Amino acid sequence: MSWARRLLGVDRRIIFIFIGLGTAVPLLLPVNLPITVTPRVEAAYQTIDTLPEGSRVLISMDYEPDTMAELQPMSIAIMRHCFRKNLKVIGMTLYPAGPGLVEPAMRIAAEAEGKTRNVDYVFLGYKSGFQTVMIGLGESLRQQYPVDFYRTPLDSIPVLRGVDSYAQIDLVVNLTASSAADYWIQFAATRYRKKLVLGATAVMATDYYPYLSSRQLLGLVGGMKGAAEYEKRMDLFGDARRGMDAQSLVHVIIAILVILGNVALLAMQRSGEGGGPAGPLGGPR
Amino acid sequence: MYLGPVLVTFAVGAALIALFFIPHHQAQVVNAEILEWATVVYAFALILGSISLWNTHARKVRNRIEGWPFSLVTMATLVTVTGLGVVQGTGEGTVVYAIYQSVNAPLASTMFALLAFFIASAAFRAFRARNLEATLLLVTAVLMMIGRVSIGEFLWPGFPAFTEWLLDVPNLAAKRAIAIGVGLGAVSTGLKIILGIERSYLGRSN
Amino acid sequence: MIDVQTWIAAFLTLCVFSFLYRDNPFYRFAEHLFVGAAAGYLLATQYQNVIRPNVIGPLTSGTADAQGILLTLLPAMLGILLLLRVHPRLVGPARWALAFYVGVYSGIAVTGYLQAQVLAQIADTVKPFGEGWKAVDSALILVGLLTVLAYFFFSAPHTGVHGAGARVGIWFLMVAFGASFGYTVMARVSLLIARVQFLLRDWLHWIPGGVS
């Protein structure tokens, strides 16, 4: 058996060990590689940064624990930015498993910037149905959310005094792991012509570039890398930035694996061994 | 077939399209009321899903299908978390909040973290430059992997700008074409449903 | 998180990671526990955030008038009709609720997609080119859009000019899919980093934590 066939037939658990070490070692021994803030993240930052003090920002954090690694640091950084600029934050989630993440994220960001619930921010909680809630907010916030997450009637919450629809909201921020982004673009940005900034998982991020060009989105923060850039722009050192060394190393390992796989395949074809791998897609168990 | 439900779909769908064009306050109040109804119905749909989950696992336990003790775990957790959540709530300080932080959150995030290992293994074994198209895909993917993280900038300072251009021009063009295609598909499907041409969502006739 | 919770979370994290070696009872236990806990949390959230404030609240508060009570009861009745679906003989009544629900989302989709995804995206394409290199980029975007649409147009055979256009469209698609793949790798690695961060920092305390 040639070296190429042996290489392609390697137990996949060997690859797993490389990935595991590639993640753990940089976290244990960080070198803090430099991070550049890319234009789309800078645009998101500037959109929030240029809002006048006291402006109201609706932040819908539509994600669940499966993607919290990417979106939770983003939520905290963006909300801290809002609080630093003395903006009023209205938080909500359209994911049933969202409140358990959004509630602590709002608390952490508010405590870090010395802000108070109901005075500087409110958490409306969860409501079902993406589009119905988004369009409903165009008419009446109180009809969709009679009370906030803590069962306080909205009329008795100071930060919501005089706020009942998009008309009184200056910016919408959607941090999401799903098609909720499409609907925020359809309804908040296009139908109600609100300024919209999107924070998305890296899987989704590339799909939303057309909406940046059409100005339906004013900024895009993509994945943990985007969150790390936002943290850098805020001069914070949070979970996203701390993970970037590992992100780099694992990407290099995977790129090397792709190149090695192709070189081995080429070698096998040259020696007339055929092109298929030794095992099924996942290799021997 | 199903004339009544089809008429309901038509009436509601046509009304919402019409209400889109009427900016009058009263029209929008009606619009908001219909949407709130949908919000409530959606909540019941999710309850239906959970009942279905319960039935699936109950059947496995009843028929002693392989792995049935694990189904007991699912059923017991479902009842406990639902019961506590309904009685106590789910906010900070409740038992359900503690369960969420120590069970739901780590399990959901670790399940998806497993994919990092499998995507690496699959990339090694199956990501092949067999022809021009596959090579384009592979090269772009590798450029993105390296160029969008810190190491890429360390290797070549122009990497972030180059990958940004790839996203802003060729990626944008293709994704825009897909968005327009999806949009046209959604519009035509919506119209077919409202007009009663497409009825498969109502299921088979009894 | 307090220590006991951290230990439970760490144990469950390791149970899931054990699947990397092979399928085993620890993994299956964690998997089934997750399904139950997730569904339970979902049900509790639905009750606390939708059914209680939007259905039970208005009916029990004593402040709603007859019209208000009717407007609260009607969607609740539709919801209950939907629940009847669990019984095979009661699928019929459930269809009325389903018909209402599908009607709402179809009505929303027609205008939503048409306005935001079709018209707005076409409008952003059909506009004067920028200056200098931006003109080249605008031209490339236009060519890319037209050729990818040509590829997706299956009503005519992909031959001649149409075929050549579709071929170029595939190249644009491959670059876009390559970008998506690269970003997907990035996303999956991020999820793993967060779990390893949890194990090394919150559980083992080998690395420092918090936002500074």
Side-chain angles (χ1 to χ4, degrees), chain B residues 112-206:
Chain B
F112 281 81
L114 284 182
L115 296 176
F117 295 98
F118 294 114
I119 207 168
S121 171
F124 174 61
R125 290 171 199 283
F127 210 13
R128 298 283 178 258
R130 288 187 193 277
N131 53 36
L132 174 64
E133 285 80 9
T135 308
L136 270 176
L137 192 144
L138 187 147
V139 170
T140 314
V142 172
L143 286 175
M144 283 294 161
M145 273 188 243
I146 302 297
R148 296 305 282 180
V149 291
S150 309
I151 196 86
E153 196 186 340
F154 181 74
L155 293 172
W156 174 42
F159 238 140
F162 176 64
T163 49
E164 194 70 28
W165 179 85
L166 282 176
L167 290 167
D168 264 332
V169 180
N171 168 69
L172 187 155
K175 295 289 166 65
R176 175 166 284 169
I178 291 171
I180 292 172
V182 168
L184 288 172
V187 171
S188 64
T189 307
L191 286 174
K192 278 165 76 179
I193 288 172
I194 291 167
L195 296 173
I197 300 165
E198 166 63 55
R199 301 178 184 192
S200 57
Y201 63 94
L202 290 170
R204 281 176 301 153
S205 174
N206 284 330

Side-chain angles (χ1 to χ4, degrees), chain A:
Chain A
M1 196 191 277
S2 71
W3 67 267
R5 182 163 282 275
R6 276 204 303 276
L7 181 69
L8 286 176
V10 70
D11 190 320
R12 67 177 175 180
R13 286 170 293 202
I14 305 284
I15 296 172
F16 293 170
I17 289 170
F18 278 111
I19 299 297
L21 287 174
T23 311
V25 171
L27 288 170
L28 291 165
L29 306 165
V31 291
N32 297 326
L33 285 164
I35 295 168
T36 303
V37 181
T38 52
R40 302 313 190 175
V41 176
E42 179 64 27
Y45 179 89
Q46 287 300 336
T47 305
I48 292 172
D49 207 61
T50 50
L51 285 174
E53 201 170 292
S55 299
R56 286 136 178 166
V57 183
L58 174 72
I59 307 185
S60 190
M61 288 161 268
D62 308 326
Y63 58 90
E64 295 184 325
D66 50 2
T67 50
M68 69 180 186
E70 296 179 275
L71 293 161
Q72 192 78 341
M74 208 185 281
S75 294
I76 292 171
I78 289 177
M79 280 192 285
R80 284 190 67 170
H81 189 194
C82 292
F83 289 138
R84 250 182 223 185
K85 297 292 297 181
N86 291 321
L87 307 175
K88 305 292 181 191
V89 174
I90 301 162
M92 57 183 267
T93 175
L94 299 175
Y95 264 50
L101 297 174
V102 176
E103 191 194 13
M106 294 198 86
R107 197 179 53 246
I108 290 167
E111 277 171 10
E113 301 296 332
K115 298 295 177 187
T116 315
R117 182 159 70 83
N118 291 347
V119 176
D120 303 295
Y121 75 98
V122 59
F123 177 42
L124 296 175
Y126 160 76
K127 196 61 62 183
S128 55
F130 290 170
Q131 301 100 310
T132 49
V133 177
M134 292 170 200
I135 302 174
L137 294 182
E139 183 57 30
S140 172
L141 179 70
R142 280 163 178 75
Q143 190 165 13
Q144 293 292 324
Y145 288 93
V147 294
D148 77 347
F149 184 71
Y150 308 94
R151 317 226 153 282
T152 314
L154 296 203
D155 285 326
S156 54
I157 298 174
V159 72
L160 287 174
R161 211 159 282 152
V163 181
D164 199 35
S165 74
Y166 289 122
Q168 297 87 36
I169 287 165
D170 301 285
L171 173 71
V172 179
V173 178
N174 178 219
L175 305 170
T176 187
S178 77
S179 59
D182 293 335
Y183 303 124
W184 281 111
I185 291 169
Q186 286 181 17
F187 302 115
T190 313
R191 183 180 294 190
Y192 292 99
R193 308 218 172 270
K194 281 287 119 186
K195 290 181 185 173
L196 177 65
V197 164
L198 177 66
T201 59
V203 174
M204 301 161 56
T206 60
D207 296 344
Y208 290 90
Y209 274 72
Y211 303 101
L212 288 161
S213 166
S214 61
R215 306 285 294 162
Q216 287 162 289
L217 288 178
L218 299 183
L220 173 64
V221 186
M224 190 189 254
K225 171 67 179 8
E229 291 175 27
Y230 210 99
E231 283 179 357
K232 182 175 182 204
R233 196 64 182 76
M234 290 277 299
D235 212 12
L236 300 172
F237 202 84
D239 284 355
R241 258 177 104 176
R242 214 169 270 128
M244 281 304 105
D245 286 351
Q247 188 92 48
S248 280
L249 183 57
V250 178
H251 281 210
V252 170
I253 292 172
I254 295 176
I256 291 172
L257 285 172
V258 170
I259 294 165
L260 272 179
N262 278 281
V263 169
L265 180 81
L266 202 67
M268 281 170 67
Q269 282 171 341
R270 289 251 167 99
S271 63
E273 274 190 272
L281 188 65
R285 294 181 72 118

Side-chain angles (χ1 to χ4, degrees), chain B residues 28-61:
Chain B
Q28 291 312 309
V29 169
V30 175
N31 196 9
E33 190 64 45
I34 296 175
L35 297 173
E36 206 224 312
W37 287 21
T39 304
V40 173
V41 175
Y42 184 82
F44 280 91
L46 291 178
I47 294 172
L48 180 68
S50 298
I51 295 172
S52 173
L53 176 75
W54 172 273
N55 287 343
T56 306
H57 284 280
R59 202 175 308 120
K60 278 181 93 173
V61 172

